[in-house]
Amino acid sequence: MTEQAGAGRPALLGRPPVVLMYHGFCAHRRDDDPENLFVEVDRFEQQLRWLLDQGWQALDLDGYVAARADRAHRPRRSFLVTIDDGFTSVLQLAVPVLERLGVPALLYVPSYLAGRTATWLPRPADEPLLGPDELRHLHALPWLELGVHGADHRDLRGLGADALDHQVRRAHGRLGDLVGDPLRSFAYPYGAHDAAARRSVAAEGFDVAFSVFDDAGPHAVSRVDVNATDTLASFRLKTQLPGYRQWWAALDRAPVVRRTVRAALTSLGGQRGRR
């Protein structure tokens, strides 16, 4: 509940919702995953249970959009689960956890690669992607909603008008036809965007679009990346540390420092997790 301003005390506003970004899932840590994209499903469940146990509210897309629009009535602490790429492990491993915990999620898929493999990844090679029937099944679930992730996972920066039209408008039409509904949100492949890409996404009528670390209004909202190296302690740090996404974006310009910080976070997480 929001405290009324008065007697020299400002109103207490809920913090902006934390948007979590996942990719794939696995039963046991994979040794063919140099990008650390595949989170062990037990850790995934542990992370979501911790948020719920601490009183965080899980949002769907409607709840997220409302919380962004109405600062005065947003939950004190809330989160949105987003999952990029559409690996088959989402259906096999993540969906049972989401259903069991009652946590909604958004799943972003490259429209023209349904049923194929993640050709943009050198490793793991030929990782399978969800097919049309599986995508229709998932979109029909009341607590899971599909979104557009470009046409073929191409970086949208620097593209001309025709290429952007293919990656945004036609990609949207392809996925919308597949599931029988227009889609309401977009996630940039690699989190990468420029002004032209944002204009194209906004013109297509998406309610919101997600980047990774850099914010540029409602059509480039940054997210907290959750990867295979995260323990519960480092996950807690990422979700609670003010400005995490901003300083992590700044570290992108210093990759050596960024790798050092990531290693320190992982080490810290392991030490706390053993206590």
Side-chain angles (χ1 to χ4, degrees):
M1 180 178 294
T2 304
E3 181 178 317
Q4 296 295 319
R9 301 176 65 184
L12 295 177
L13 300 177
R15 60 177 288 187
V18 171
V19 185
L20 304 175
M21 178 183 69
Y22 292 89
H23 290 86
F25 302 89
C26 55
H28 305 287
R29 180 71 183 273
R30 296 177 60 156
D31 59 9
D32 63 344
D33 178 24
E35 299 297 324
N36 298 312
L37 297 176
F38 291 81
V39 174
E40 291 173 88
V41 68
D42 288 346
R43 287 195 176 187
F44 177 57
E45 181 163 358
Q46 182 188 44
Q47 291 158 359
L48 297 187
R49 283 192 182 278
W50 179 80
L51 289 171
L52 296 172
D53 289 346
Q54 296 299 309
W56 291 62
Q57 182 175 331
L59 302 176
D60 59 9
L61 182 57
D62 287 327
Y64 174 78
V65 171
R68 277 184 61 89
D70 189 351
R71 297 178 60 203
H73 296 95
R74 66 171 54 137
R76 189 171 69 89
R77 292 185 297 181
S78 59
F79 67 98
L80 174 69
V81 172
T82 68
I83 306 171
D84 286 6
D85 299 339
F87 296 117
T88 55
S89 60
V90 174
L91 177 58
Q92 297 161 352
L93 297 173
V95 164
V97 172
L98 294 167
E99 184 171 25
R100 184 161 57 247
L101 299 183
V103 172
L106 300 177
L107 175 62
Y108 293 99
V109 298
S111 305
Y112 283 74
L113 297 183
R116 299 172 65 182
T117 61
T119 53
W120 67 90
L121 282 179
R123 295 181 65 206
D126 300 319
E127 188 67 22
L129 300 173
L130 294 161
D133 289 342
E134 293 167 316
L135 293 174
R136 280 189 284 266
H137 163 71
L138 290 173
H139 188 68
L141 297 173
W143 44 269
L144 195 143
E145 184 172 337
L146 295 191
V148 182
H149 198 40
D152 51 15
H153 209 279
R154 184 178 178 184
D155 188 331
L156 302 193
R157 293 174 297 183
L159 297 185
D162 288 345
L164 276 176
D165 184 68
H166 177 66
Q167 296 291 335
V168 178
R169 185 185 63 82
R170 279 181 273 170
H172 183 196
R174 175 93 165 216
L175 189 58
D177 288 345
L178 191 152
V179 300
D181 287 313
L183 287 311
R184 303 192 294 159
S185 63
F186 189 96
Y188 298 96
Y190 307 104
H193 57 90
D194 58 16
R198 295 192 299 273
R199 285 195 298 269
S200 182
V201 168
E204 185 59 14
F206 291 108
D207 293 339
V208 66
F210 295 105
S211 60
V212 180
F213 296 111
D214 50 341
D215 287 283
H219 291 101
V221 178
S222 64
R223 295 178 283 176
V224 170
D225 65 310
V226 188
N227 58 64
T229 66
D230 280 312
T231 61
L232 181 58
S234 62
F235 176 82
R236 290 167 58 183
L237 240 129
K238 285 183 173 184
T239 53
Q240 297 184 108
L241 186 65
Y244 161 76
R245 293 169 294 176
Q246 287 73 29
W247 64 257
W248 196 253
L251 286 177
D252 194 42
R253 296 187 290 272
V256 174
V257 177
R258 181 165 169 166
R259 286 195 295 271
T260 302
V261 172
R262 183 187 291 279
L265 278 173
T266 304
S267 173
L268 175 64
Q271 292 171 9
R272 290 184 175 178
R274 289 191 292 269
R275 291 179 183 175

